[in-house]
Amino acid sequence: MSKPIIIYGHPVSPFVRKALIALEVKGVRPSSIVPLTPVISSDALKDISPLRRIPVFQQGDFTLPDSSVIAEFLDESLDGAALYPTDSKIKAKARWFEEYIDTHIAQYFVFQYFFEKLVKPSVLKLETDDARVKAAEEKMPEILAYVEENLTEAGYLLGDTPYMPDFAIGFMFQNAGFAGWQCDAGEYPKTVRLLSALNSHAGFKKVSQLGADLLTARRQEIESVLKAYLTN
Ligand SMILES: N[C@@H](CCC(=O)N[C@@H](CS)C(=O)NCC(=O)O)C(=O)O
């Protein structure tokens, strides 16, 4: 890969952080991150992302939306640590977990809980819909039980190595954490152990720190936070 890589999408989105961790694991840094958000930059997104969603990967004239599609492309085209297992059954399990996380976990932890509790009041200056927060909180135990029962004794979903679905869980839960959610260590010990292991993973730590820094950055600070990430 020689042409510069551009990632479109604001890294406060857990999906954008998924694309960034995929690059980190491969030892590749994008040349720029364009912090578009679907709410504010919907028109700018329409030419590169038919569903007007973030992230979008671009290298020269090759443009690719969707965090999981981007990660699979990077895994197939770059050397470096694996983002998915190679055994076909285990890889299929990884794809399933990632699908569950990107649709179901994201729905409740991100689009309902994080969005309602944090984005609406702080960014959009809109009132939180308490019924949607409550509905998310009611759904969380079932989701956490599924994650807990599928985490292996070795620490991750698919054994002793973190793959894309593990990183995806970490980022979805990080967003819920931005809005005050905490994982109960008594109820979900394996999940808490996963989150702690991820926080010791150099690439995950770096990308999650970027998300946290941008969450609190003022508008005029965003460029310098991104620049610090891209150059360190
Ligand atoms: N399956 C997509 C989901 C991406 C996604 O939903 N991103 C959110 C931001 S957190 C978005 O762009 N939402 C705008 C919309 O759905 O209109 C992926 O993995 O990239």
Side-chain angles (χ1 to χ4, degrees):
M1 281 214 181
S2 47
K3 289 187 184 154
I5 292 170
I6 303 172
I7 294 291
Y8 293 91
H10 196 300
V12 164
S13 158
F15 295 98
V16 174
R17 300 203 296 288
K18 281 183 63 196
L20 294 176
I21 187 71
L23 287 164
E24 283 282 345
V25 168
K26 293 295 179 188
V28 174
R29 197 51 63 74
S31 62
S32 61
I33 298 171
V34 184
L36 303 178
T37 61
V39 178
I40 298 163
S41 334
S42 182
D43 282 346
L45 274 169
K46 79 175 187 318
D47 293 336
I48 53 171
S49 179
L51 299 176
R52 301 187 189 209
R53 288 185 183 152
I54 52 174
V56 178
F57 170 99
Q58 194 170 61
Q59 189 175 35
D61 58 7
F62 181 65
T63 304
L64 199 58
D66 197 283
S67 60
S68 309
V69 175
I70 294 166
E72 275 209 65
F73 163 69
L74 294 174
D75 212 24
E76 284 166 10
S77 53
L78 291 175
D79 294 332
L83 296 169
Y84 296 93
T86 45
D87 174 272
S88 59
K89 280 190 181 157
I90 306 177
K91 185 169 184 180
K93 281 289 253 188
R95 285 201 188 104
W96 156 247
F97 285 134
E98 197 170 359
E99 172 64 15
Y100 176 84
I101 295 157
D102 288 359
T103 53
H104 201 60
I105 294 189
Q107 177 61 42
Y108 294 102
F109 283 77
V110 180
F111 299 136
Q112 285 189 212
Y113 190 86
F114 166 74
F115 184 76
E116 288 293 341
K117 280 193 81 178
L118 197 144
V119 178
K120 268 173 81 174
S122 310
V123 181
L124 304 176
K125 309 294 173 209
L126 294 171
E127 222 170 281
T128 295
D129 182 338
D130 291 325
R132 275 172 61 81
V133 175
K134 189 162 175 277
E137 286 170 337
E138 283 170 2
K139 197 78 186 170
M140 284 173 174
E142 179 193 311
I143 291 173
L144 288 160
Y146 183 72
V147 171
E148 188 74 12
E149 101 194 16
N150 279 286
L151 280 168
T152 65
E153 288 305 327
Y156 299 99
L157 284 165
L158 301 149
D160 60 4
T161 306
Y163 292 114
M164 279 311 291
D166 300 289
F167 296 129
I169 287 187
F171 292 135
M172 298 302 161
F173 286 178
Q174 186 188 15
N175 273 58
F178 289 156
W181 175 79
Q182 271 189 320
C183 191
D184 182 332
E187 291 273 339
Y188 310 109
K190 287 198 275 177
T191 307
V192 167
R193 198 179 58 178
L194 166 72
L195 298 178
S196 139
L198 288 172
N199 283 320
S200 314
H201 180 284
F204 183 90
K205 218 158 100 179
K206 203 165 175 355
V207 175
S208 61
Q209 188 59 53
L210 174 66
D213 290 345
L214 285 171
L215 183 76
T216 53
R218 284 173 296 175
R219 195 179 296 258
Q220 62 272 28
E221 293 166 339
I222 292 176
E223 273 316 308
S224 62
V225 173
L226 288 171
K227 193 164 168 217
Y229 170 78
L230 292 168
T231 51
N232 283 323

